[in-house]
Amino acid sequence: MSGEHFTLSQRFQRAFLVFLSRLPASLQRMLARTATNTAGDTMAPDVALLMKLGESGPDYSDLPPAEARATTERDLILFASRVEPCAVEEEIEVSDEVQLTRYSNGTPSRGLILFFHGGGFVIGSRASYTAPARMFAHGTGADVVSVEYRLAPDAPFPAAQDDAVAAWRYVVEHAADWGVDPHRIVVAGESAGGNIAAVLCQQVRGEDAQPMLQVLIQPVTDLVEHRPSQDEFAGSPALSAKQVAWFVKNYLPEGTDPADSRVSPYRASSLAGLPPAIVNLAGFDPLHDDGLAYATALLEAGVPAQVDREPGQVHGYISYTAVSPSCKQATERLVASISAALDRTEHTATKAS
């Protein structure tokens, strides 16, 4: 859905939210109280206002999955920045189950980012994550391949994990055709996509071609242990406990062991030998503590792990870049962090040669 296909009502909604997001912070604080979490972080004023407006909106977890997808797809595209297209935007069909979009600006020597969108394994798509994918491509110089994987409940666990492996095998096989070194592939994902990325790294561990880096953005890492941030932010309009339960119900077939490492990568018997990680967290995210626990476990296993924390942000902030300047700035910092990691590995490779 491009801007030209928005209805008049949608155009007004977007314009109104953009207007509110540009108000002075002092006025935003008058319109919506800025919460403070137990760590002492204060929510960004524009995000607090966005969350207040979201409290009164419909809850997609009250809908059947197909209707929830349609609703959230519209909102995600509506709230995303209009980002300049890349020089190359190529649609690729790997199979009936897996489709890809490759974004390239003609500097494949920087590497490739294999990206998995968020959405609790039930909602979300390549289309609704076009803006972040383009931001990654423009900001890092790397090619980006965004993956369309099967969604639950039509295709429950482990369909998404199987599709991720298929996407990985495809990009490794075709990287050279695009001018990309297959040893310079970053695996990245947000929320459920972060889970998929973490699991994929475990599944291809020890193979000739492995991810050079894993970027886990507010990832789901453990469906076994209930951690404090899940209670603290149980009522978050960005991701509530009710919505998490709805995702899990739709995603996991009855009888699935949540301790299976393909469900909860934190529960793997060993994390040794995995790629270095960037773990991106938000201060007001119910998944904050899960992501932190995984980063800590990686470090304890001898895996370099960099924790980037956005203290004033909520879950899914990379999808609000049009209607929240602070979300856009946080996303730009994430992109810069990935770019810096590519710089470091590029320099290391140059020295080694």
Side-chain angles (χ1 to χ4, degrees), residues 255-314:
T256 304
D257 182 3
D260 185 324
S261 60
R262 294 172 301 164
V263 176
S264 301
Y266 176 81
R267 298 289 157 179
S269 58
S270 172
L271 301 181
L274 290 173
I278 294 174
V279 182
N280 183 274
L281 308 175
F284 291 81
D285 181 8
L287 301 184
H288 175 280
D289 292 356
D290 284 16
L292 184 60
Y294 195 65
T296 301
L298 287 170
L299 287 167
E300 291 173 348
V303 177
Q306 171 184 322
V307 175
D308 291 346
R309 191 169 178 278
E310 292 293 340
Q313 288 301 328
V314 295

Side-chain angles (χ1 to χ4, degrees), residues 87-98:
V88 174
E89 297 195 352
E90 176 188 11
E91 300 298 314
I92 300 168
E93 184 168 329
V94 176
S95 66
D96 290 342
E97 292 80 23
V98 183

Side-chain angles (χ1 to χ4, degrees), residues 158-171:
Q161 284 72 19
D162 293 342
D163 292 350
V165 172
W168 167 259
R169 304 266 185 250
Y170 186 92
V171 297

Side-chain angles (χ1 to χ4, degrees), residues 1-21:
M1 180 189 295
S2 68
E4 288 74 26
H5 296 110
F6 289 148
T7 66
L8 182 60
S9 174
Q10 290 168 338
R11 288 174 181 272
F12 175 79
Q13 181 187 10
R14 179 182 167 91
F16 180 63
L17 291 172
V18 169
F19 168 75
L20 291 177
S21 74

